[in-house]
Amino acid sequence: MSFGKMPIANGFLTADQVASEYFFELAPAFCSHCLMFQLIEQPACEKMFHDSYAFFSSTSRHMQMHFESFADLVMSRYFKGRIDPFVVELGSNDGIMLRHFKDAGFRHLGIEPSGNVADVARSRGIQTLSEFYNLELANRLVAEHGHADAVLAANVMCHIPDINAVAAGIARLIKPDGVLLFEDPYLGDMIAKTSYDQIYDEHVFIFSAASVGWAFGQHGLELIDVMPQVTHGGSMRYVLARKGSHPVSPAVVALLEKERSQGLHKPETYAQFRRDCEASRNALRELLESLQRKGKRVVGYGATSKSTTVTNYCGIGPGHIEFVSDTTPIKQGKLTPGSHIPVKPYEDFLKSPPDYALLFAWNHAAEIFEKEKTFRAGGGKWITFVPKVGIIE
Ligand code: DWN
C-alpha cells in the first residue's frame, strides 16, 4: 500500500527550508515468504540520523523507568554467573539505558550514529561511539574489547535497512553463550489497533516473532524468548542466542501460534489493514473539519515522528491545527515536516489551552493524562485516533 509522498519524519524545518524539503514515497509491503512487513523505499540513513537528530529518548519519565527495568532484567537474568560481563547497545541515544550499566560498574559501549544525542550520553560518562553498526565495526569491537555477553537495542533494529549486515555483525560480536535482546513496535499491535503511524521513514521493518525468527535464523541465531511491552503503543522484546545454546521458552511457541491465528501470515490481513487505515484517515479528517467549521481551537500534543505520517497521509495542516506543543527544544520554533504546522514550546499550551488537543503522542497517554488533569478540568477535550478516532469527553 502507499501512504503517498512523505517527508523525513523527524525533519522539522524552518520556513526557508520548505522549498527544498525532501519527499519519498512511503509504501510498505508484506512478503508471504519471509513474513516481513517493510518499506519498499527508504531515504538514505544520513538523511534521517545526523548531528541534529530531533528525538531524545529521555523526554518521557515513563520511558526512563522502562529502560531502568530493561537494564535490571539483563543484569539479573543474563549476567548471572558471568565474570566482568560486557554489554553493547546499538542506537544508545542519550544513554537512557546504558547509564544503569555504567552506574553498576559494568563494561559497556553504546553505538549511536547521531552525534548530538551521543554527545549527551558521553557528557554523562557513558562510553559511546558515533558510527553505524555493521560486520566491519563488529570485527573492530571484538579486536578492541573482546566478545559481548549481551547486545541490546531498543527501537533501533527496525530502523536498520541492512538487517543481514547487522545480524551477521551481532552473530560475530556475541560470545558463544551470549544473548541479543531487542524491542520494537510489534506488528500484531499495529494491525489490531490500526496504528499506521508506526510506519514512517525510520521504521523500515515492523517485526513479528515469525519475521524476526526467519531473518536472524539466516545468521545462526534463534528466538529463545519473547516479552510483550506496553511501550510505544505495543512493542515486543525479542531474546535471541546462538541456535541450540539456550532453551527456547514456551512463550515463543505460543506467540507464533497467536500470530497465525491473527492471520499475520496472510496477505488478506494487510488488505484489510489498508481499508482500516483509509477509514481512520477519513474519520479524523471529518472530525477536524467539523471542529474547524465550529470555530474550535485545536492544538496537537507531541510533535512525534509518528505524527508526520498522520498529518501528511490525512492532509492535516495549519488550517486544522493551530500549533503542535512539544517539550523538545530542537523541535520548537520549527514547522512539522510536510504539513508545516508551527511547533511551539509546551508553555504555549499551558498559557492558552485549546478547546481540543489532538494526542499525537498517544503512546504516552497514561503519563500525559496524569500530567494534564487541569486541562481536562478546565473543559479541554482530547482527540485520539488509535485504536479509533474519537473525542474523550
Ligand atoms: O523509534 C522511535 C521512537 C522510539 O521514538 C524513533 N524512530 C523516534 C521516536 O518516535 P516518536 O517521535 O514517535 O516518539 P515519541 O516518544 O512518541 O515522541 C513523543 C514526543 O512528544 C517527543 O517529541 C516529546 C513529546 N512529549 C511532550 O511534548 N510532552 C512527550 C511527552 C511524554 C510529554 O509529556
Side-chain angles (χ1 to χ4, degrees), residues 121-379:
R122 282 188 280 262
S123 73
R124 293 174 177 158
I126 298 155
Q127 305 293 319
T128 309
L129 276 185
S130 287
E131 291 189 44
F132 286 106
Y133 190 77
N134 53 28
L135 187 54
E136 193 197 320
L137 178 59
N139 282 325
R140 247 175 56 217
L141 296 184
V142 171
E144 288 169 20
H145 303 268
H147 290 277
D149 294 84
V151 174
L152 314 178
N155 303 303
V156 166
M157 204 62 84
C158 74
H159 294 65
I160 308 176
D162 196 350
I163 192 168
N164 286 306
V166 172
I170 291 166
R172 169 86 183 102
L173 183 59
I174 57 170
K175 287 182 178 167
D177 61 349
V179 284
L180 160 67
L181 287 96
F182 74 89
E183 61 186 37
D184 278 305
Y186 178 56
L187 183 66
D189 282 297
M190 186 186 82
I191 297 293
K193 298 175 189 167
T194 319
S195 46
Y196 64 87
D197 57 347
Q198 294 291 3
I199 303 169
Y200 53 90
D201 55 359
E202 295 180 16
H203 288 179
V204 64
F205 302 111
I206 307 288
F207 292 125
S208 61
S211 63
V212 164
W214 194 91
F216 286 83
Q218 308 296 303
H219 300 273
L221 299 173
E222 171 179 51
L223 196 53
I224 58 163
D225 209 351
V226 284
M227 304 168 197
Q229 307 294 315
V230 293
T231 49
H232 289 294
S235 298
M236 191 62 66
R237 182 176 297 160
Y238 306 96
V239 188
L240 294 105
R242 262 180 236 293
K243 202 166 172 39
S245 68
H246 288 68
V248 175
S249 158
V252 174
V253 181
L255 185 60
L256 288 169
E257 275 168 15
K258 191 172 164 215
E259 289 181 354
R260 285 194 83 79
S261 57
Q262 197 186 345
L264 293 188
H265 60 300
K266 290 187 193 156
E268 303 89 88
T269 302
Y270 302 94
Q272 181 58 45
F273 174 66
R274 184 178 58 218
R275 290 192 289 274
D276 292 345
C277 291
E278 287 161 2
S280 172
R281 171 184 64 185
N282 298 343
L284 184 57
R285 260 198 78 111
E286 276 163 27
L287 175 59
L288 291 176
E289 280 168 5
S290 80
L291 294 175
Q292 196 182 17
R293 283 194 297 274
K294 290 179 194 153
K296 299 292 183 192
R297 285 184 60 228
V298 182
V299 160
Y301 197 103
T304 62
S305 321
K306 298 181 289 295
S307 58
T308 296
T309 299
V310 178
T311 54
N312 287 278
Y313 175 59
C314 301
I316 298 168
H320 304 99
I321 295 180
E322 196 175 305
F323 66 88
V324 183
S325 155
D326 199 286
T327 51
T328 319
I330 199 172
K331 298 180 183 177
Q332 297 163 358
K334 299 209 175 122
L335 301 171
T336 58
S339 47
H340 306 150
I341 305 164
V343 181
K344 295 197 175 171
Y346 173 54
E347 291 65 34
D348 288 43
F349 176 84
L350 292 178
K351 258 189 267 159
S352 166
D355 300 308
Y356 294 85
L358 174 52
L359 188 57
F360 284 130
W362 57 270
N363 46 311
H364 299 293
E367 179 173 350
I368 292 170
F369 289 165
E370 196 186 307
K371 193 165 89 180
E372 301 301 349
K373 286 189 182 133
T374 319
F375 171 63
R376 276 291 279 284

